[in-house]
Amino acid sequence: MPVLDTLGRPLHDLRISVTDRCNFRCVYCMPKEVFGRDHRFMERRELLTFEEIERVARVFSGHGVSKLRLTGGEPLLRRELERLVAMLAAIPGVDDLTLTTNGALLPQKARSLAEAGLTRVTVSLDSLDDEVFRSMNDVDFPVERVLAGIEAAAAAGLAPIKVNMVVKRGQNDDSILAMAEHFRGTGHILRFIEYMDVGHTNGWRLDDVVPAGEIVRAIDAIWPLDPVDAAYAGEVAARWRYSDGAGEIGVIASVTQSFCGTCTRARLSAEGKLYTCLFALRGQDLRALLRSGASDEELDAEIAGIWRRRADRYSEIRSARTADLPKVEMSYIGG
């Protein structure tokens, strides 16, 4: 029997952060003034080993999880990540093993990741305008190198590739149509994400949010769109297909059209804390259990108990007050 939380939501997805480090300093996720040269990142001994991650993922698979997503920070910074991919790909019941990346290291890594068993990738790209993109990643990284990473992933068979664009009013909202035009007809799925109040270091304001409905209307006015049914229960992106057959887009509207009621995702931090919501204040420590000699049965019971007690629905109760709470950072838990 699937394990259900207090609102009747099953487990389906596990997002696994493998590092808290990143080679970008995106202003909405890991602002340089907070994550500067003196910021303390985790030491190697604090991170879950690949064997510990595989053990946790195997237990989650027994509770109905069939989709695993590797995140960070930037997951491709974790050494020998291909070895972990191969371990996770071998878990019975896991049929979708994905990775979210900024794309910088994909030209070197895409082929080996595919050979290890990775199914597909999602690449973050917030604008095609080089000046805008460089200002948003804040490390002067050029657009053309991310596009090269996307092409490397496509050549390696890591498809369909999803491209995530976080939209912030006044910063990159004028890039929406250019992004749509570029990825139409490529087979890649562009997804627009409302700027969210994840963590408490990105200076989030509701005025900075470009609603998903506004994005869809802008694109539909030029390239007509038709709604598409969700691919599975709990899918976060609302899907739209170009009427002329040039592919599809998605919009993730956590702020204006919350989807808490169908959320089936759990998140494991790089040092082994389990979070049942992207906007959580704290996580449950699985590393201590793993390193204290607990049996698989004890680990199974702990994970099931955490999920059964889950009552999170942050986006349904979001307010000016909740926006200021000390929530877990996006760069720590991987979105």
Side-chain angles (χ1 to χ4, degrees):
M1 292 293 291
V3 61
L4 304 177
D5 70 8
T6 62
L7 299 177
R9 298 170 294 190
L11 261 170
H12 180 267
D13 308 57
L14 177 62
R15 302 188 177 202
I16 302 168
S17 174
V18 296
T19 180
D20 62 335
R21 299 171 187 265
C22 188
N23 45 359
F24 284 11
R25 287 296 178 269
C26 297
V27 294
Y28 56 81
C29 176
M30 207 170 184
K32 189 178 289 184
E33 57 269 25
V34 177
F35 298 90
R37 293 181 181 275
D38 59 348
H39 181 78
R40 182 193 174 277
F41 291 98
M42 294 179 204
E43 296 180 18
R44 183 80 176 192
R45 59 180 175 77
E46 297 177 87
L47 303 177
L48 290 186
T49 66
F50 289 167
E51 289 74 19
E52 289 169 334
I53 292 172
E54 189 271 346
R55 186 181 175 199
V56 171
R58 191 173 289 273
V59 170
F60 268 94
S61 175
H63 286 297
V65 167
S66 59
K67 178 180 178 179
L68 302 177
R69 178 177 295 280
L70 299 177
T71 67
E74 169 49 51
L76 297 186
L77 293 179
R78 182 77 183 256
R79 294 177 183 175
E80 300 181 339
L81 188 67
E82 295 87 348
R83 187 165 68 86
L84 175 62
V85 168
M87 294 166 69
L88 297 177
I91 296 176
V94 172
D95 55 26
D96 194 8
L97 178 55
T98 72
L99 177 144
T100 297
T101 174
N102 59 34
L105 297 175
L106 276 177
Q108 303 98 289
K109 290 279 193 176
R111 182 67 60 184
S112 59
L113 288 166
E115 291 172 352
L118 193 70
T119 308
R120 55 188 177 82
V121 295
T122 296
V123 180
S124 299
L125 178 61
D126 297 320
S127 180
L128 289 172
D129 183 304
D130 206 53
E131 183 178 354
V132 171
F133 182 64
R134 287 174 189 258
S135 72
M136 291 191 74
N137 66 57
D138 209 16
V139 292
D140 205 32
F141 197 86
V143 168
E144 63 182 25
R145 291 179 61 186
V146 178
L147 295 177
I150 292 172
E151 292 312 304
L158 295 172
I161 294 169
K162 295 180 179 177
V163 179
N164 282 353
M165 175 184 178
V166 174
V167 184
K168 185 177 180 182
R169 193 178 298 282
Q171 189 151 34
N172 68 333
D173 52 320
D174 58 355
S175 297
I176 291 170
L177 295 179
M179 287 282 285
E181 183 174 27
H182 180 84
F183 287 106
R184 271 173 46 84
T186 64
H188 308 327
I189 301 170
L190 177 60
R191 304 195 304 178
F192 300 94
I193 302 176
E194 292 180 344
Y195 176 47
M196 294 182 289
D197 51 327
V198 181
H200 61 287
T201 62
N202 67 1
W204 183 88
R205 299 180 311 128
L206 185 58
D207 290 347
D208 292 330
V209 177
V210 180
E214 181 179 326
I215 294 170
V216 170
R217 287 191 297 273
I219 296 171
D220 181 64
I222 299 176
W223 303 288
L225 296 167
D226 300 313
V228 180
D229 290 339
Y232 58 89
E235 185 174 27
V236 298
R239 300 169 61 200
W240 296 83
R241 179 184 294 118
Y242 290 111
S243 300
D244 64 2
E248 70 174 75
I249 64 167
V251 289
I252 300 176
S254 172
V255 178
T256 64
Q257 302 168 31
S258 68
F259 39 80
C260 298
T262 58
C263 180
T264 59
R265 287 165 296 287
R267 293 170 169 85
L268 184 69
S269 74
E271 95 278 39
K273 289 186 178 179
L274 180 61
Y275 291 82
T276 55
C277 179
L278 178 59
F279 303 96
L281 303 182
R282 63 189 63 86
Q284 303 294 317
D285 188 2
L286 296 185
R287 186 184 65 188
L289 197 62
L290 289 163
R291 296 183 181 178
S292 66
S295 66
D296 285 352
E297 291 74 19
E298 290 171 318
L299 182 61
D300 184 288
E302 179 67 13
I303 289 171
I306 291 170
W307 190 261
R308 288 193 182 102
R309 295 189 296 272
R310 177 187 190 234
D312 305 285
R313 56 186 192 93
Y314 176 88
S315 289
E316 292 181 351
I317 60 172
R318 178 185 279 108
S319 67
R321 182 183 62 81
T322 59
D324 291 332
L325 292 174
K327 303 179 291 294
V328 63
E329 295 295 335
M330 173 81 81
S331 58
Y332 170 82
I333 201 62

